[in-house]
Amino acid sequence: MPERKRKVRKVEKSEDELKKAMPGRFDAGVFTPDRVSERLTLKNLASGIALAALNAKVIIDAEAVRARKEIYEKDEVLRSLPLTTFDVSEIEVELRFAVEGVEEGDVVVSTDIEKLEKIQDSLSTVKFRLKSKPITEYTLPDGEKVVRG
């Protein structure tokens, strides 16, 4: 399959600006004091890992843009080089956990270290793979925007 070239738009937003533009998008994996009492479910754990990976890519790209502005553009040789960043195209995760129960159709998992150490041989395991996929935005003739991913 031939490699597709991506259109690159100049983005000059910091991580803080991105977080302000998309509130709540990057804090799923953050356990603040008010979230510690929440029961951890497999759905929250898996989505927290996926959001952490996405957040890491956003931070990496923001740093690449910052380096371009602060370092590359000031040097005559570096200025002619393309902007590089890491390609986070696939992440494989294996989770080992103890099931505490099922609530509202989701599996509640234990985070108690002592409990996990005692039952280490009988922990449940799930593997999943995160693969990047481009998101495309179309504008229909009537002006409506459609996002496909």
Side-chain angles (χ1 to χ4, degrees):
M1 179 182 244
E3 188 175 321
R4 288 189 264 172
K5 292 194 176 201
R6 295 183 186 174
K7 285 186 176 179
V8 179
R9 291 185 294 181
K10 192 169 184 178
V11 177
E12 294 187 18
K13 290 189 177 184
S14 69
E15 178 187 352
D16 291 335
E17 289 172 315
L18 290 169
K19 286 181 179 181
K20 285 178 188 174
M22 297 184 285
R25 296 284 186 177
F26 300 103
D27 58 2
V30 177
F31 289 95
T32 55
D34 60 322
R35 294 186 73 174
V36 171
S37 62
E38 291 181 22
R39 297 184 64 107
L40 182 61
T41 64
L42 188 55
K43 178 174 39 178
N44 289 343
L45 181 58
S47 63
I49 290 169
L51 286 172
L54 176 62
N55 192 21
K57 179 63 174 151
V58 169
I59 291 169
I60 290 167
D61 289 344
E63 283 299 310
V65 170
R66 183 193 62 75
R68 176 66 173 201
K69 286 174 61 178
E70 294 178 9
I71 300 168
Y72 281 49
E73 290 181 2
K74 293 178 182 175
D75 184 278
E76 192 173 316
V77 174
L78 292 175
R79 192 177 320 145
S80 63
L81 296 176
L83 178 65
T84 59
T85 186
F86 294 100
D87 181 22
V88 183
S89 59
E90 189 171 323
I91 298 172
E92 190 170 311
V93 179
E94 179 176 313
L95 297 175
R96 298 194 65 202
F97 56 92
V99 176
E100 285 198 352
V102 177
E103 290 179 5
E104 300 175 18
D106 198 2
V107 176
V108 178
V109 298
S110 175
T111 57
D112 181 355
I113 289 291
E114 292 176 8
K115 182 178 183 179
L116 295 173
E117 286 176 350
K118 287 179 186 174
I119 61 169
Q120 196 170 29
D121 294 334
S122 59
L123 293 175
S124 298
T125 303
V126 65
K127 290 182 183 181
F128 62 96
R129 183 176 302 163
L130 303 168
K131 293 181 90 171
S132 66
K133 184 177 178 183
I135 296 175
T136 331
E137 185 176 348
Y138 301 98
T139 304
L140 300 177
D142 65 358
E144 180 184 356
K145 291 192 184 255
V146 178
V147 177
R148 184 172 158 229

